[in-house]
Amino acid sequence: LIDHVILYLDYGTDLERNTYSPIYERMALQSTINTILKKCKLLVYCKSIGLLDTPKQLASNFLGIIKNKEKNISQSSIKLNLKDRVFKNRIMNFEKLMTKYYFDKQRLTLLLDAKKTDSEFLQYLNRNNFEYIDFNKAFKLSNSPTTLIYDKHWNNNGREIIASLIAKEVKTKLK
């Protein structure tokens, strides 16, 4: 049996669904050429900011921006209602995932960035006795960058900080 699980949770993406299974379409993209192209960080960065979009996509994005400016609907009320629905959906997905994959609160600690996590979700975790490690403060205190320049994955410094936070958590659990 596993004594303890540290589970990284990206609030913005990981709770958009209530089950996880292989995405075969993405697996098909793992060709040799795609793998080589992904190694070029500048190319990956250009793609992520839209520089490699087709003219049709660029035009569509531009027209979407113009149409959004023309709307006279109260955007703040729509955003509040949408935020509430998204939050409730993410809570339901979280609960279903915890049940489906049999996560025991006593053996689970979430690893998350509290700055990128909805404060209501953090309150939910606290109310329901879920433990979590917030790495945001440790990253802020670092004098060196914690992520890679182009794709925002943790660099060696970021991984060392995460490893030390996890080691500290495990030592606490052993006591």
Side-chain angles (χ1 to χ4, degrees):
L1 293 176
I2 296 174
D3 292 329
H4 203 78
V5 175
I6 307 290
L7 179 68
Y8 174 68
L9 177 71
D10 180 359
Y11 178 79
T13 58
D14 289 343
L15 300 178
E16 290 180 354
R17 51 194 164 152
N18 61 22
T19 190
Y20 282 86
S21 59
I23 303 172
Y24 295 104
E25 297 83 25
R26 289 197 67 187
M27 292 169 66
L29 295 174
Q30 300 304 320
S31 70
T32 305
I33 293 173
N34 273 345
T35 304
I36 292 169
L37 291 174
K38 286 179 188 176
K39 299 286 184 193
C40 178
K41 296 299 181 187
L42 182 59
L43 188 61
V44 171
Y45 177 70
C46 289
K47 184 178 183 298
S48 73
I49 63 172
L51 287 178
L52 302 179
D53 287 349
T54 63
K56 184 178 177 181
Q57 288 171 315
L58 288 171
S60 174
N61 292 343
F62 180 71
L63 291 174
I65 291 169
I66 291 172
K67 286 181 182 178
N68 284 340
K69 287 183 179 178
E70 293 174 355
K71 290 182 181 178
N72 292 327
I73 301 170
S74 171
Q75 294 294 324
S76 61
S77 64
I78 291 172
K79 285 180 183 175
L80 286 174
N81 190 17
L82 179 63
K83 181 182 182 274
D84 190 42
R85 284 192 316 222
V86 167
F87 174 73
K88 287 178 182 175
N89 187 50
R90 287 183 177 165
I91 290 290
M92 288 187 322
N93 289 345
F94 179 76
E95 289 174 347
K96 187 166 183 179
L97 288 165
M98 291 296 113
T99 303
K100 182 175 183 172
Y101 297 107
Y102 309 108
F103 281 111
D104 178 3
K105 289 182 200 177
Q106 274 60 33
R107 293 182 178 195
L108 172 72
T109 300
L110 298 171
L111 176 68
L112 54 81
D113 181 348
K115 183 180 177 187
K116 295 180 182 178
T117 304
D118 190 310
S119 60
E120 289 182 58
F121 184 72
L122 294 174
Q123 291 171 10
Y124 167 85
L125 293 176
N126 291 329
R127 275 193 313 272
N128 291 285
N129 300 316
F130 280 98
E131 294 185 25
Y132 61 88
I133 301 169
D134 174 16
F135 60 86
N136 180 268
K137 292 174 189 169
F139 273 25
K140 279 186 179 178
L141 292 173
S142 176
N143 293 328
S144 302
T146 55
T147 59
L148 299 169
I149 295 170
Y150 298 112
D151 66 7
K152 299 302 176 192
H153 284 92
W154 300 325
N155 62 18
N156 287 343
N157 181 43
R159 288 189 293 269
E160 284 181 24
I161 292 170
I162 295 295
S164 68
L165 291 171
I166 291 173
K168 183 178 175 184
E169 176 71 15
V170 169
K171 285 179 185 176
T172 303
K173 294 289 178 189
L174 292 175
K175 290 181 181 179

